[in-house]
Amino acid sequence: MGIIGRYTKWLHTRWPAGRVEKLPVVNDDGSTSVPGLYVVGDLTGVPLLKFSAHTGARAVKTIANEASFGKRDTSDDSVLDVAIVGGGVSGFAAALEAKKQDLRFELFEASEPYSTIVNFPKKKPIFTYPTDMTPDGDLQFHEKSSIKEGLVEDLHDQTIAQGIEPTFKRVESIKRVGNRLQLQFAGGETLDAHRVIVGIGRSGNFRKLGVPGEELDKVYNRLHDPKDFCGKDVVVVGGGDSALETAIALATCGCKVTLSYRKPEFSRPKPENVERIEALVVDPNADVGVENPSSERVTTAAGAFVGRDKDAKGSIRLALPSTISAVKDDEVVLKLDDGSEESVPNEAVFSMIGREAPLDFFRRSGVRISGEWSARSVVG
């Protein structure tokens, strides 16, 4: 890519609206500005399960084929061949491939395996796009992965049940020490490795609404179980898959949902989610293939749950475009496109606008961040 192309990409002119997100600069093979440190998973720019698994396995294969890696000093057993940071899909895919390559490796996780997926709402439908893609490596997605619980079980069966056990430690930073990389853990402990693969995803802080009342207890960043909110007046904020799926789950549980998004139409979610939203807007009793926690389970041939509580009186109202001006005890104030404000009754707010990338981790590790200037780039 020439300098004009790189500059254009840096500006993200393909995203004409909204704030450009800063991310670590990652090459096609996962390598970064720190020699020997690779980034895989969501932070490579494609937040899809199959791509996460693919990048994790591929990074290990790339490392194994490096001429310099083949010349590494293997006499010190205390030095890992590959350290893997992050126990998500990409990290476990990398661990499976490292085991297959007979490398000395360890997988480090700060909380619990597959924590992002485990915290998905109950019975969340899972889309494994692209449907015709087979990820590199041994971690694959099967028919049972069509809902959250089946996906978690499938992933555990392929990794933890096969002996891929994570070490529960928080890695604070990574630095280059001679011809090795040194992991620095919370508490001061260190460990050396010849290569490091980071698959921590968007594990930074939840993005803020930046409005009065955001600190109220009724404001949530994730939905665990829709039945905890059945029948309530709720506002869901966001225009991505998480926001749409939250709105769908709450509406089919009998909630009166107002879906607020800052743009006049949805452009990022999967088509299935947009179709479900549109169907529920037209007909609150539409069967959109999502199980209501209070209804009886009906299983299709594909294993997905369908059906809804026919007594539920839920609905979805689209407030596009709009933003939140304030969150109050019993209402939410919406700012509409024409500048006017509207108050809507409210008992719960779901701010589904994502998380920040953990940029401080990468800054401490010396990884270049897109759109940030260093002394070297200023001179250039």
Side-chain angles (χ1 to χ4, degrees):
M1 182 184 295
I3 187 169
I4 294 177
R6 293 199 303 271
Y7 185 67
T8 300
K9 184 176 181 181
W10 175 71
L11 285 176
H12 280 212
T13 52
R14 66 188 184 278
W15 294 5
R19 178 174 59 87
V20 176
E21 183 178 19
K22 292 182 178 181
L23 294 172
V25 177
V26 182
N27 300 317
D28 290 342
D29 61 357
S31 60
T32 66
S33 57
V34 176
L37 193 157
Y38 291 74
V39 171
V40 298
D42 285 4
L43 294 179
T44 61
V46 185
L48 295 174
L49 289 172
K50 283 187 176 180
F51 279 100
S52 291
H54 181 79
T55 57
R58 188 182 59 178
V60 174
K61 290 184 177 181
T62 298
I63 290 169
N65 290 326
E66 290 178 6
S68 59
F69 183 74
K71 298 175 182 177
R72 69 193 183 283
D73 181 7
T74 59
S75 61
D76 189 348
D77 290 341
S78 66
V79 181
L80 296 174
D81 290 328
V82 179
I84 303 167
V85 182
V89 169
S90 60
F92 273 101
L96 280 174
E97 186 61 31
K99 181 179 180 180
K100 188 176 182 179
Q101 297 273 355
D102 198 26
L103 301 178
R104 189 163 57 247
F105 74 94
E106 197 163 355
L107 172 62
F108 299 99
E109 166 56 39
S111 56
E112 65 175 319
Y114 304 111
S115 60
T116 298
I117 298 173
V118 168
N119 285 307
F120 282 166
K122 290 185 177 181
K123 302 296 182 288
K124 169 182 164 68
I126 304 297
F127 303 100
T128 50
Y129 287 129
T131 55
D132 58 349
M133 175 190 177
T134 300
D136 204 347
D138 291 341
L139 188 61
Q140 300 296 321
F141 302 91
H142 306 107
E143 188 175 317
K144 67 193 295 186
S145 299
S146 60
I147 59 169
K148 167 212 167 170
E149 287 76 7
L151 174 61
V152 172
E153 181 182 347
D154 194 14
L155 293 173
H156 275 253
D157 288 346
Q158 294 183 68
T159 54
I160 296 173
Q162 303 303 317
I164 307 293
E165 289 284 351
T167 298
F168 294 101
K169 291 183 179 180
R170 179 179 294 277
V171 179
E172 294 290 344
S173 65
I174 301 160
K175 68 176 182 178
R176 191 82 191 175
V177 179
N179 60 353
R180 299 173 181 172
L181 290 164
Q182 186 176 84
L183 283 73
Q184 299 178 319
F185 299 97
E189 184 184 355
T190 62
L191 177 70
D192 288 356
H194 293 291
R195 299 289 186 274
V196 175
I197 294 174
V198 178
I200 56 178
R202 298 172 189 272
S203 56
N205 295 327
F206 287 103
R207 293 193 179 102
K208 297 290 188 179
L209 291 171
V211 300
E214 184 174 19
E215 73 285 350
L216 293 176
D217 290 340
K218 70 172 186 175
V219 179
Y220 305 89
N221 296 113
R222 55 168 66 122
L223 172 65
H224 291 289
D225 193 342
K227 71 182 180 183
D228 294 336
F229 301 90
C230 287
K232 294 186 176 182
D233 290 308
V234 301
V235 170
V236 177
V237 184
D241 285 307
S242 295
L244 269 62
E245 288 166 5
T246 298
I248 293 165
L250 290 168
T252 56
C253 190
C255 291
K256 293 181 179 178
V257 180
T258 298
L259 179 55
S260 171
Y261 183 44
R262 61 186 176 86
K263 295 184 180 181
E265 61 183 18
F266 300 114
S267 59
R268 294 187 293 117
K270 299 178 180 67
E272 291 90 340
N273 283 331
V274 176
E275 291 172 4
R276 287 169 171 169
I277 285 287
E278 292 174 346
L280 289 170
V281 169
V282 174
D283 178 8
N285 292 316
D287 187 349
V288 293
V290 177
E291 184 202 14
N292 183 298
S294 63
S295 69
E296 204 172 305
R297 291 183 180 181
V298 181
T299 307
T300 67
F305 293 118
V306 298
R308 58 184 288 117
D309 186 347
K310 293 183 178 179
D311 295 327
K313 302 299 182 182
S315 63
I316 293 181
R317 174 206 169 196
L318 299 183
L320 310 180
S322 70
T323 56
I324 304 296
S325 291
V327 179
K328 301 182 180 181
D329 289 336
D330 56 0
E331 65 180 9
V332 164
V333 181
L334 297 178
K335 184 175 182 180
L336 306 180
D337 192 38
D338 61 4
S340 63
E341 290 189 340
E342 175 189 352
S343 295
V344 296
N346 178 258
E347 297 170 84
V349 175
F350 290 89
S351 177
M352 312 303 288
I353 55 177
R355 303 178 76 152
E356 302 285 353
L359 297 182
D360 285 343
F361 171 86
F362 291 105
R363 293 184 183 112
R364 291 193 298 269
S365 302
V367 175
R368 189 160 66 91
I369 308 298
S370 61
E372 290 190 350
W373 294 93
S374 65
R376 183 176 180 179
S377 60
V378 169
V379 172

